[in-house]
Amino acid sequence: MLRKKTNGVARRSQRTSILSQAAETSVDRRTFLRGSGLAIGGLAAISATGGTVTQASAAGAVNGAVDLVKSVCTHCSVGCTVIAEVSNGVWTGQEPGWDSPFNLGAHCAKGASVREHAHGERRLKYPMKKEGGEWKRISWEQAIDEVGDQMMQIREESGPDSVYWLGSAKHNNEQAYLFRKFAAYWGTNNVDHQARICHSTTVAGVANTWGYGAMTNSYNDIHNSKAIFIIGGNPAEAHPVSLLHLLKAKEQNNAPVIVCDPRFTRTAAHADEYVRLRPGSDVALVWGILYHLFENGWEDKEFIRTRVWGMDQIKEEVAKWTPEEVERVTDVPGSQLKRVARTLANNRPGTVIWCMGGTQHTTGNNNTRAYCILQLALGNMGAEGGGTNIFRGHDNVQGATDLGVLSHTLPGYYGLSAGAWAHWSRVWNEDLDWLKGQFETVKAADGKDKNLMNLTGIPVSRWIDGILEDKENMDQPNNVRAMVLWGHAPNSQTRMKEMKTAMEKLDMLVVIDPFPTVSAVLHDREDGVYLLPAATQFETRGSVTASNRSIQWRDKIMDPLFESKPDHVIIAKLANKFGFGDRLFRNIEMEDAETPNIESVTREFNAGMWTVGYTGQSPERIKLHMANQHTFDRTTLQAIGGPADGDYYGMPWPCWGTAEMKHPGTPNLYDMSKPVSEGGLTFRARFGVERDGDNLLAEGVYSKNSDIQDGYPEFTYQMLKDLGWHTELTDQEKAAIARAAGIPEFQKGQDEVGEAGMSPFPSDFDDKVAKVNWKTDLSGGIQRVAIAHECAPFGNAKARAVVWTFPDPVPVHREPLYSNRRDLVADYPTYEDRKFYRLPTMYASIQKNDFSKDYPIVLTSGRLVEYEGGGDETRSNPWLAELQQDMFVEINPRDANDLGVRDGAQVWVEGPEGGKVKVMAMVTERVGAGVAFMPFHFGGHFEGEDQRSKYPDGADPYVLGESTNTAQTYGYDSVTQMQETKATLCKIWSA
Ligand code: SF4
C-alpha cells in the first residue's frame, strides 16, 4: 500500500512479507542486495528520487569467473544501463551502470531488481493451451501448427484483417521492425501497440506543429533549464532517475519547478509552485497562462515573427480566457497563473515536460499542441535548456513507434500511401504487386476497388470494438476473430467489462509474453487460448531507443530461460508457417532457419528510415558508444575525445545519411545555433510553403553556416538542380535516385546499384527524377549534398500554431464525455459522433446524458514507482511486490467523511458504464475534494472476484488486484483514438 509519510494515525500493519515467502524458493535477500548494490531501505528511499547507490564489487558477488555484460533497464524510457554479473551463463548479480550519462550509477527500485524479472519464478515456462477449461503443456511445434492453421483458416474465410496483431514496446527495435514488416506480409494494418494509448496524441500534436513527434531535447539537457514546467507528469514515480537531472537544474540554476496536476504527486513535493487543476482542463489552463504573457507583452515577438505561423489566431482564442473564465473552468486562481506566467517569462529558456496526464484525453491532441504553443510563445524551442521534454513510458516505446508498430503507418512515419508502400517494397526488394495481393480489396462507396493496404487499421484502443461492433458499421469486411497480444497488458486499457465479452467472442486468443498477463484470466473461455513464452530483452540482444531519441545496445546476458524464445525467433517461426519466411528475410542473414541475425535487421532498417534519420546508427556505431560511455559529457551528451569523438551519445535521431557519413546525431531538435552536420536543425517544412497568402517558410533565419540564408522547402532532386548542387551526387547515388523514380533500366536489386555494367543515365534523367526527395532516395545522396551545404534535408520552415487539418485547428477546451460540470458542457461541448480508424466513435451521444447525479466524483489514474504498465512483470517480482501489495483508491478526506469511508477500508468504485472494482480506500489530501485516483498497474481481480486460480500453475503474479480500467469508460481522442483515462466519473461506497 502506498503510504503517507505522516498522517498522525497509527499505520496499518503490512501484509505477510512477500519477500520472505519468495526467498524460500528463489535467491535470498542478502544475495539480491549484494548483487544489486542496494540496501533494502535504499530501495524505498531512492524510489521517490532516483538517488544513487553504492558501487558494489563485482568480483565479490560470486565466486569464480564473472563476466560483466552491459544491458539497459526494461522498465522505463530513461534508459538506465544495467551491468549484469554472469557466472557460467547464470546471471548472478547486477550493478547500475556508472559510466552511463543517463543514470550515472543510479537505479530506481525497478531497475535495481531487473535480474529477478529475467530469472522470475513466475514466468510462463513453456507453450500452453487451454483445453476443456484446463491449461495443458504443449510443444512449440504443436503451438505454431495449431495457431498457424487456425489463422490461415480465418484468413481464408474472413480475410487477413480478421487477425489482429497487437505488438508492444517490449520489442527491441529490430523485433519491432520485423513485427511491422511481418504484419505487412500477412496483409493487414490491424497492427498497433501501446504507444497509441501512451503518447499518440503527443506524436500527432507535436509532429503537426514542427515536424517530428518526439521529445525535442534530453533528460541531460534539462541541466541547462532555467525553469521546469511539468504538466500531467509524475517523473518522480514514472521516470525516477530523470529526477537526478531535474534536481540538478533546480539546485544549480535555481530553476523554479512548476507542477500542474490534479493530484499532489511525489513530483509536486519537489515543486516551487504546485497548480492543482481540474482534470481535463489543460487547454484552459495553458491559455490562462498565455493570457498574461500576451497581455504583458512577455511573448518572444522576434521568435514568433521568424519561426511561427498562426500565433495571431491563438491570440484571438486566448483573449477569451480571462482569469475569471480560466478559474471557472480549471479551478485555478488567476493570480496564481499570472505568477506562473511571470516565472516562465523571467526564467528562459525553460522546459515543458508532460506525460499521460496530458495525453490520455478525448482532447489529448489539443493539449499537446497547447503545450507546444506555450513554448513557441516563450521562444523556448531549439535552445539548450528549452524544448518539450516529453517523457515516454516503456523502455522502447519510442523505438517501437519509430519503427511503425502502428496501424496508420509503415516504419519511419512514412504513412500508408502508395508512395510509402513503394518505398518500403524497394527497401525489402519485394514485388509491390505481391504485397498488394496479400491485402483485401473491397468496393468503396464510389464503386471503385479499394485496397485496404492504404487504409488505417483498427487502433489498439479499439480492438474490442473490432470484435463487438456490427460489421455493417465498419470499414473492413469482417470482424476480428483472432487476437494476438504480444507483450501487451490488456489491463492498461479501458472498458475491461466489454473486453471480457470481446475475448470470449473470439475464435482464438494468443498471448505471447514472458508472463501470462491478465489476458490469461480475464475471460471465462474454456478453449482456444494459447500462451506462448517469449524471452525477455535480457535473453537476447539488440537496440533500444530511449525517450531522448538516443539508441543504445543491449548485449545478451543469458540464454532464454525455460522454453521461452526471443520475439524475432517467434516471428520467424510464424512467417515460415505462413510460407513467406523466405520473402520476409530475403535481405537478412539467418543464423539458422528460425533465427534472424539482429545486426542484419538493424542494417535493413538503416537502409529505409530516411525520414527520421535512423540511417546513420549502424550496429557498430551503437556498440562503440556503449563500450565508451565514459567518454560522453553528462550534460551535452557529446563525446570528448575517444573513439566516438564528437558524436552525441546514442546518436539521437535524426542521425542523417549513411553510417559512413558519420553524422553525430541531433541532441536538441530545431537548434539553429549548430550547423546541421554537427547536430543543428531547423523546423521542418512539412506543411507546404504558403497558407492563406502567408509564407510558411522561416523568415530570414537559418541554421549556422547554412548556404541558404532564409527559409527553404524540403530537398528534392529538382531543388538540388535549381541550386546547381545536383552535380555533387555520385553516379551510385544517381542510380539509386533513378531506382526511386522507377526508371526501368535501374530496377535492379539494391546491391547491384553502382556495379560495373550499370546502365547509362538517360538524357531526360533530370526530368524523370525531379520529384525524388530526401525521404525516398535510398542512397542518402540528397541528404548528403544538402548537409554538405549545412542545410536541413527536410527544409527550414515555421512551426504552425494552427493545424488546419485537425478537428480543432486552434486547440480549444472541450469538456470530457463524462463531466459533472454540466454548466461547462453547455459552453464547451465535445465533438459530434464520427467514424474514423474503421470504426464509429461516439462523442456527443455520450456527453448529452447527465451521469453526474449518480456518479459525482471525477476519477483519474496514473503510475506508481514500484510497478510498470499493466504490472504483470513487476507484480511478479518479489522485491517490488513486497513494496506495494494492495490496490487502492485515493479519496479526499472531505469525500471520505461524507461517504462514511475510513482509511484502509474496502470500498467499491463504480464507473458510469457499470464496471466496478473493490479496492482499499486511502484517505489523503493528495487528491482534491471531488476527485479520486487509482493506479493502473493491478490486475487479476475482477469486480470483487480473485482470479488467482485461473492462472497456469506457478505463473500467477505475487500481487493481484483490481484494474482501475474495469471502472474506466469510453472516450477517444479526435485525431489518434487515444483512450481517455484521466477524466471520467465514478461513485464510491463502502464494501
Ligand atoms: Fe532507470 Fe527507468 Fe529503469 Fe528506473 S525504471 S532504473 S528510471 S530505466
Side-chain angles (χ1 to χ4, degrees):
M1 180 82 196
L2 184 63
R3 295 190 177 272
K4 287 170 279 192
K5 286 182 178 150
T6 56
N7 62 2
V9 178
R11 292 182 173 177
R12 290 182 294 281
S13 59
Q14 191 64 308
R15 283 186 179 185
T16 310
S17 167
I18 287 168
L19 276 177
S20 59
Q21 292 170 350
E24 289 168 15
T25 53
S26 57
V27 65
D28 66 72
R29 181 191 284 231
R30 285 181 55 140
T31 306
F32 166 73
L33 293 175
R34 196 169 54 215
S36 65
L38 281 174
I40 195 72
L43 275 177
I46 68 158
S47 64
T49 63
T52 60
V53 295
T54 309
Q55 189 164 16
S57 159
V62 287
N63 295 323
V66 173
D67 296 321
L68 299 182
V69 182
K70 209 174 256 188
S71 186
V72 175
C73 173
T74 50
H75 288 320
C76 93
S77 68
V78 174
C80 299
T81 292
V82 176
I83 309 285
E85 296 154 7
V86 183
S87 188
N88 295 325
V90 179
W91 186 1
T92 54
Q94 67 169 94
E95 288 182 26
W98 289 78
D99 290 338
S100 162
F102 294 158
N103 60 304
L104 307 163
H107 265 346
C108 73
K110 294 186 288 281
S113 57
V114 286
R115 195 200 76 96
E116 193 62 26
H117 166 50
H119 266 292
E121 288 294 316
R122 301 298 172 108
R123 278 178 57 174
L124 197 54
K125 298 178 182 63
Y126 27 74
M128 307 195 86
K129 96 189 235 199
K130 202 164 198 187
E131 205 170 61
E134 299 293 327
W135 292 114
K136 190 177 149 195
R137 180 176 180 173
I138 56 175
S139 67
W140 268 103
E141 290 65 34
Q142 183 183 349
I144 295 292
D145 267 349
E146 289 186 15
V147 166
D149 287 344
Q150 287 182 65
M151 284 181 175
M152 287 196 282
Q153 189 179 341
I154 289 170
R155 194 177 200 287
E156 188 67 33
E157 292 167 358
S158 306
D161 289 319
S162 287
V163 178
Y164 194 107
W165 299 94
L166 178 40
S168 97
K170 168 199 175 290
H171 308 312
N172 62 28
N173 285 332
E174 290 70 23
Q175 294 164 340
Y177 169 74
L178 282 181
F179 190 85
R180 185 59 182 90
K181 186 178 177 186
F182 171 90
Y185 276 62
W186 168 261
T188 187
N189 291 323
N190 281 342
V191 53
D192 215 23
H193 84 290
Q194 59 255 60
R196 175 81 50 195
I197 53 174
C198 300
H199 268 298
S200 63
T201 44
T202 296
V203 176
V206 175
N208 278 283
T209 299
W210 45 54
Y212 283 146
M215 180 165 173
T216 59
N217 293 35
S218 66
Y219 295 109
N220 302 65
D221 181 66
I222 294 170
H223 302 174
N224 297 312
S225 298
K226 302 293 189 296
I228 299 172
F229 180 89
I230 305 173
I231 183 162
N234 181 14
E237 299 212 57
H239 306 86
V241 169
S242 75
L243 263 264
L244 283 180
H245 304 294
L246 272 71
L247 295 178
K248 185 173 164 71
K250 184 173 157 75
E251 290 170 16
Q252 189 172 275
N253 310 339
N254 211 14
V257 176
I258 301 160
V259 173
C260 308
D261 204 295
R263 179 171 173 254
F264 188 82
T265 59
R266 285 181 169 179
T267 305
H270 293 280
D272 298 278
E273 179 95 45
Y274 168 59
V275 180
R276 194 193 287 281
L277 75 159
R278 191 174 66 91
S281 64
D282 298 51
V283 171
L285 184 97
V286 175
W287 286 176
I289 297 168
L290 274 176
Y291 182 91
H292 297 291
L293 284 175
F294 289 142
E295 193 176 64
N296 292 286
W298 293 337
E299 74 272 27
D300 187 332
K301 296 180 187 65
E302 184 60 9
F303 185 93
I304 294 169
R305 184 186 73 76
T306 56
R307 297 191 73 186
V308 185
W309 181 85
M311 195 61 91
D312 289 345
Q313 294 178 56
I314 302 296
K315 272 188 178 173
E316 282 173 30
E317 176 65 21
V318 167
K320 300 175 195 162
W321 289 92
T322 61
E324 297 71 31
E325 185 62 0
V326 172
E327 182 164 356
R328 183 170 84 99
V329 173
T330 66
D331 290 346
V332 181
S335 57
Q336 187 179 24
L337 292 188
K338 185 166 186 182
R339 190 165 63 238
V340 168
R342 186 185 292 114
T343 304
L344 294 175
N346 287 344
N347 295 280
R348 295 186 235 199
T351 185
V352 168
I353 296 168
W354 72 81
C355 291
M356 283 182 268
T359 63
Q360 291 186 329
H361 293 282
T362 52
T363 51
N365 79 83
N366 288 7
N367 294 347
T368 61
R369 288 184 292 137
Y371 310 149
C372 294
I373 290 164
L374 175 63
Q375 285 295 69
L376 290 172
L378 286 161
N380 279 344
M381 293 308 301
E384 287 177 356
T388 50
N389 281 311
I390 305 143
F391 293 1
R392 305 297 303 245
H394 296 267
D395 59 320
N396 201 33
V397 73
Q398 183 63 54
T401 304
D402 298 334
L403 289 151
V405 187
L406 293 165
S407 68
H408 64 280
T409 186
L410 289 168
Y413 309 95
Y414 278 84
L416 297 171
S417 65
W421 283 103
H423 170 75
W424 279 106
S425 62
R426 271 199 306 279
V427 177
W428 298 336
N429 284 327
E430 189 51 84
D431 173 359
L432 184 54
D433 287 332
W434 179 86
L435 267 177
K436 279 182 190 159
Q438 290 294 95
F439 284 78
E440 188 127 17
T441 299
V442 296
K443 282 267 179 267
D446 59 7
K448 290 189 182 149
D449 283 348
K450 184 168 70 170
N451 191 308
L452 294 184
M453 81 189 308
N454 304 116
L455 187 71
T456 53
I458 295 170
V460 52
S461 48
R462 305 294 305 277
W463 65 264
I464 312 167
D465 298 300
I467 300 164
L468 300 178
E469 182 63 60
D470 183 340
K471 70 179 182 183
E472 300 305 317
N473 298 332
M474 295 166 59
D475 285 341
Q476 69 175 48
N478 289 294
N479 289 99
V480 172
R481 292 175 56 192
M483 274 302 298
V484 181
L485 292 103
W486 199 322
H488 181 79
N491 50 322
S492 59
Q493 289 189 246
T494 55
R495 298 168 58 205
M496 286 183 65
K497 271 189 91 146
E498 287 169 271
M499 187 187 296
K500 177 176 188 297
T501 308
M503 282 182 170
E504 286 163 2
K505 195 177 168 207
L506 286 168
D507 290 25
M508 181 171 61
L509 176 61
V510 182
V511 178
I512 307 177
D513 202 283
F515 294 86
T517 78
V518 170
S519 299
V521 299
L522 178 63
H523 49 80
D524 288 323
R525 296 183 69 102
E526 299 274 302
D527 297 283
V529 187
Y530 290 83
L531 305 179
L532 308 185
T536 67
Q537 288 302 327
F538 302 115
E539 297 156 283
T540 183
R541 67 184 192 278
S543 67
V544 50
T545 306
S547 193
N548 72 310
R549 299 168 282 108
S550 284
I551 304 181
Q552 303 192 92
W553 193 268
R554 289 189 181 108
D555 283 329
K556 186 172 89 166
I557 296 175
M558 60 191 210
D559 287 332
L561 272 191
F562 313 116
E563 291 185 16
S564 68
K565 296 198 181 294
D567 291 350
H568 53 286
V569 172
I570 303 172
I571 290 170
K573 278 180 170 292
L574 285 166
N576 291 340
K577 171 72 184 171
F578 296 140
F580 55 69
D582 288 348
R583 304 187 85 111
L584 190 74
F585 299 112
R586 174 185 286 137
N587 297 339
I588 294 168
E589 281 169 41
M590 301 296 286
E591 291 172 8
D592 59 48
E594 294 179 339
T595 310
N597 175 276
I598 285 289
E599 287 79 357
S600 182
V601 179
T602 320
R603 276 188 257 283
E604 186 176 281
F605 69 65
N606 283 158
M609 297 277 284
W610 302 97
T611 38
V612 283
Y614 256 71
T615 47
Q617 306 98 334
S618 62
E620 293 75 18
R621 290 187 83 191
I622 306 171
K623 290 177 189 179
L624 186 78
H625 284 209
M626 289 303 283
N628 293 280
Q629 289 177 314
H630 60 286
T631 64
F632 291 86
D633 184 89
R634 270 76 176 118
T635 296
T636 65
L637 292 178
Q638 192 167 30
I640 307 163
D645 189 22
D647 282 3
Y648 291 95
Y649 179 66
M651 294 155 287
W653 64 257
C655 178
W656 298 112
T658 59
E660 292 68 39
M661 208 173 104
K662 291 210 175 304
H663 187 268
T666 307
N668 299 325
L669 296 176
Y670 323 122
D671 178 359
M672 299 198 301
S673 70
K674 296 186 179 81
V676 175
S677 66
E678 296 175 22
L681 211 53
T682 50
F683 286 137
R684 181 173 173 183
R686 194 174 187 178
F687 318 113
V689 295
E690 183 267 345
R691 178 80 184 166
D692 300 338
D694 292 342
N695 175 25
L696 290 179
L697 301 178
E699 301 279 357
V701 291
Y702 44 89
S703 53
K704 188 174 176 185
N705 299 342
S706 171
D707 280 351
I708 305 178
Q709 302 201 337
D710 202 353
Y712 50 89
E714 66 174 355
F715 274 80
T716 58
Y717 182 87
Q718 182 64 48
M719 186 162 149
L720 286 185
K721 187 173 179 217
D722 292 345
L723 291 162
W725 299 349
H726 63 308
T727 55
E728 297 169 38
L729 292 165
T730 65
D731 282 354
Q732 284 81 2
E733 288 167 344
K734 284 171 72 178
I737 291 168
R739 187 168 175 242
I743 300 177
E745 52 271 42
F746 289 87
Q747 301 309 304
K748 296 178 187 170
Q750 192 182 347
D751 293 337
E752 296 167 73
V753 171
E755 296 287 313
M758 186 172 67
S759 302
F761 299 111
S763 56
D764 56 352
F765 176 82
D766 288 354
D767 293 336
K768 283 183 167 163
V769 303
K771 289 184 179 161
V772 176
N773 65 37
W774 63 286
K775 304 187 291 275
T776 54
D777 160 22
L778 297 190
S779 73
I782 293 177
Q783 294 198 1
R784 185 185 61 76
V785 173
I787 292 171
H789 292 270
E790 295 298 0
C791 292
F794 65 28
N796 175 18
K798 294 190 182 83
R800 60 173 179 175
V802 177
V803 180
W804 55 83
T805 45
F806 278 12
D808 292 324
V810 171
V812 295
H813 172 68
R814 294 180 183 274
E815 277 294 290
L817 300 191
Y818 291 96
S819 172
N820 56 6
R821 288 292 302 275
R822 304 307 294 176
D823 58 324
L824 296 179
V825 167
D827 294 342
Y828 302 103
T830 188
Y831 308 92
E832 293 303 316
D833 294 358
R834 52 194 284 252
K835 188 180 195 183
F836 63 125
Y837 276 94
R838 301 191 181 189
L839 288 161
T841 307
M842 293 183 286
Y843 292 96
S845 60
I846 290 178
Q847 197 187 52
K848 70 178 197 268
N849 303 305
D850 182 3
F851 297 90
S852 63
K853 301 267 181 313
D854 294 329
Y855 298 90
I857 296 175
V858 177
L859 175 62
T860 188
S861 66
R863 275 175 88 155
L864 302 174
V865 69
E866 298 83 3
Y867 293 145
E868 188 223 1
D872 299 293
E873 298 166 346
T874 42
R875 284 182 289 104
S876 299
N877 183 323
W879 315 102
L880 298 173
E882 172 85 2
L883 299 172
Q884 193 66 260
Q885 300 183 30
D886 293 293
M887 170 63 180
F888 60 92
V889 58
E890 291 181 358
I891 311 172
N892 183 271
R894 174 176 293 280
D895 295 322
N897 292 338
D898 287 348
L899 293 165
V901 168
R902 298 287 299 267
D903 187 49
Q906 289 289 308
V907 294
W908 284 103
V909 182
E910 184 183 271
E913 289 168 7
K916 64 179 194 290
V917 296
K918 189 179 172 191
V919 296
M920 186 181 285
M922 178 176 208
V923 180
T924 173
E925 288 177 351
R926 271 186 214 141
V927 286
V931 176
F933 164 89
M934 289 195 281
F936 74 92
H937 311 290
F938 291 81
H941 286 188
F942 186 73
E943 300 204 303
E945 182 198 332
D946 184 338
Q947 298 177 308
R948 193 175 289 278
S949 63
K950 291 163 80 173
Y951 284 90
D953 278 351
D956 49 323
Y958 293 107
V959 168
L960 302 183
E962 291 269 12
S963 304
T964 181
N965 282 317
T966 305
Q968 292 271 357
T969 50
Y970 195 97
Y972 300 98
D973 176 71
S974 63
V975 171
T976 72
Q977 294 272 4
M978 162 69 80
Q979 63 181 5
E980 171 77 74
T981 66
K982 302 302 181 206
T984 185
L985 295 175
C986 70
K987 65 179 168 189
I988 300 174
W989 70 97
S990 290

